Amino acid sequence: MPVATAVAPAKSKDAKTTPAKSKDTKPATMLTPAPKVREAVTPSWVGRVPQLKPGVYADGMPIHQVTYLCCKLILRPNKFWSRESFFDFGKVFREPAKQTGVKYSVAGFDAQPVSIREILFVDTEDFRLYNNAFILRRRIPYKDGFPIGDPEIVFKFRHPDMQKCAETDVRPHILGDHRVKFKCQAMPLKEKLGGIRLLFSHNVQFLRSAIGLGKDNVRDMDQLIDLLPALSVVRKTPKEEIKMVSNTIIEEVLQDIGVLDFGDGMTAKANVAIWRTRGEHRPLIGEFAYQFKFKDRNELAKPALKRAEDFFIALQYAAEEYIALNCTKTATVYRLLGNPPKSHE
């Protein structure tokens, strides 16, 4: 059967002709190309972090497993001078979030006040705790200018070797309760942007009142080892004195600025903090951080982990003017008096 073919209509003399396109005319997508995501300078760590070898502590309890993934950027403090400036940093990572498929929401945090804590570190005169990967600090939360609750003791073993970190038993000998947190911390490389290095932090937190009477003299090394037996490896002589590091009390100002959603159920609260000296309010260092909590690492979907990794890399480039490399908040406090320790960080 013959098939009818449509005949093109003849052009009318009165028909308006469409002006020819200029040679310079380009599609909108060509005029405003999407920003190119810059590549990481280190291999992806997603799916490559090894499992811990089984082991037990001296009391027969199994060694702790990593249950937190924390991403941190250490920031110069000079751009943070008000509560609003914390949220200004949130604007910096909107483009990296868009590039990597991560959702960001202020989620009502813009109406919440800042949190303030007082922090001090203690160590030997020659920084023997920190040089052996231990960190011991006390912190007190403040509200409306006054301390609230008991002072909290935080004891850490922080090291790039995950197995060594897990096998170091940080649990205290106390009558009261304590809380253990074993974290994998992702941070930029020490010397340049665009990469990731991992530190593992085996922490324990407990209230000072949980120590009990007669054991609250943290300036005596012998009593400190009775409280935290893991520190026995750093003792040199009996009755050594423990001192406040750099003779400085830190004031931490922290603001939750929103929620990051990486998909597959992986969400994290994001916050910005600055540390400054107590009294003269001298700014020392800042930090942007977000973390995920999980019971088993198998709960973490690889696509969401890859988005989290890509976002962390893209954010480093976007926040280049903010970032301070080759330091941590703790190291900054230790270096205040010009005596840098030899840490494992």
Side-chain angles (χ1 to χ4, degrees):
M1 179 180 292
V3 178
T5 303
V7 179
K11 290 184 180 180
S12 168
K13 293 181 180 179
D14 298 330
K16 295 181 179 179
T17 58
T18 304
K21 290 184 178 180
S22 167
K23 293 182 179 179
D24 296 332
T25 302
K26 297 180 181 179
T29 54
M30 293 180 65
L31 290 173
T32 55
K36 185 179 179 181
V37 178
R38 297 171 70 175
E39 297 295 328
V41 299
T42 49
S44 173
W45 49 262
V46 176
R48 297 178 64 243
V49 178
Q51 297 286 343
L52 284 169
K53 298 175 183 177
V56 296
Y57 298 122
D59 60 356
M61 293 295 292
I63 61 174
H64 299 138
Q65 298 288 324
V66 174
T67 54
Y68 290 85
L69 171 60
C70 182
C71 299
K72 292 185 175 185
L73 292 178
I74 304 303
L75 309 175
R76 300 186 184 98
N78 56 302
K79 289 183 178 289
F80 301 106
W81 55 82
S82 67
R83 179 178 170 276
E84 289 73 21
S85 64
F86 289 128
F87 289 95
D88 288 341
F89 184 77
K91 299 174 184 176
V92 174
F93 56 79
R94 286 178 180 172
E95 187 58 38
K98 183 179 179 180
Q99 291 174 2
T100 56
V102 176
K103 297 178 181 178
Y104 169 61
S105 171
V106 175
F109 289 113
D110 53 347
Q112 294 187 10
V114 297
S115 299
I116 295 179
R117 292 189 296 194
E118 175 189 280
I119 300 171
L120 62 85
F121 294 82
V122 294
D123 205 332
T124 60
E125 184 74 31
D126 56 358
F127 300 153
R128 214 173 312 134
L129 270 67
Y130 193 49
N131 290 343
N132 285 277
F134 292 107
I135 298 171
L136 181 58
R137 69 189 191 194
R138 185 204 72 186
R139 61 189 185 193
I140 304 172
Y142 276 68
K143 183 177 181 180
D144 298 328
F146 292 90
I148 55 173
D150 286 340
E152 183 180 51
I153 307 298
V154 181
F155 178 54
K156 302 182 181 185
F157 184 78
R158 186 157 64 187
H159 200 280
D161 187 327
M162 180 175 65
Q163 189 71 34
K164 184 173 183 176
C165 214
E167 292 174 356
T168 302
D169 188 359
V170 296
R171 293 175 299 167
H173 281 184
I174 58 175
L175 298 176
D177 198 11
H178 67 272
R179 182 180 181 184
V180 172
K181 294 182 179 180
F182 193 1
K183 299 182 180 184
C184 173
Q185 296 183 340
M187 302 183 70
L189 300 177
K190 293 182 179 182
E191 68 280 0
K192 60 183 176 180
L193 301 175
I196 294 178
R197 61 188 176 102
L198 298 181
L199 280 175
F200 296 90
S201 182
H202 199 181
N203 307 358
V204 66
Q205 301 170 201
F206 53 93
L207 297 179
R208 185 160 181 171
S209 60
I211 296 175
L213 296 175
K215 293 185 177 181
D216 54 355
N217 182 14
V218 295
R219 293 191 176 188
D220 185 310
M221 176 64 89
D222 292 343
Q223 287 200 24
L224 194 56
I225 290 173
D226 287 341
L227 174 66
L228 300 166
L231 289 177
S232 61
V233 297
V234 305
R235 176 165 47 188
K236 282 187 175 180
T237 58
K239 297 297 181 181
E240 283 189 276
E241 186 178 359
I242 302 298
K243 299 181 179 180
M244 182 164 48
V245 173
S246 297
N247 199 30
T248 301
I249 297 177
I250 301 300
E251 184 178 66
E252 178 188 65
V253 183
L254 181 144
Q255 176 73 59
D256 294 326
I257 61 172
V259 173
L260 294 163
D261 187 344
F262 299 90
D264 298 305
M266 280 184 58
T267 61
K269 182 167 61 177
N271 59 61
V272 179
I274 60 167
W275 280 16
R276 59 194 186 193
T277 56
R278 189 68 187 248
E280 66 269 26
H281 291 176
R282 171 190 169 193
L284 299 176
I285 200 72
E287 181 184 84
F288 168 71
Y290 55 94
Q291 72 177 13
F292 314 95
K293 184 181 179 182
F294 50 91
K295 292 182 179 179
D296 188 310
R297 68 163 69 179
N298 293 324
E299 298 173 6
L300 303 175
K302 287 186 178 180
L305 281 175
K306 189 64 173 67
R307 278 190 290 271
E309 180 183 56
D310 292 343
F311 170 75
F312 190 62
I313 296 296
L315 179 57
Q316 291 180 40
Y317 292 121
E320 183 175 1
E321 294 183 356
Y322 283 84
I323 293 178
L325 294 176
N326 196 24
C327 68
T328 64
K329 301 196 306 296
T330 301
T332 301
V333 177
Y334 270 81
R335 292 169 179 162
L336 277 178
L337 298 184
N339 299 308
K342 298 177 182 178
S343 74
H344 293 78
E345 300 181 345

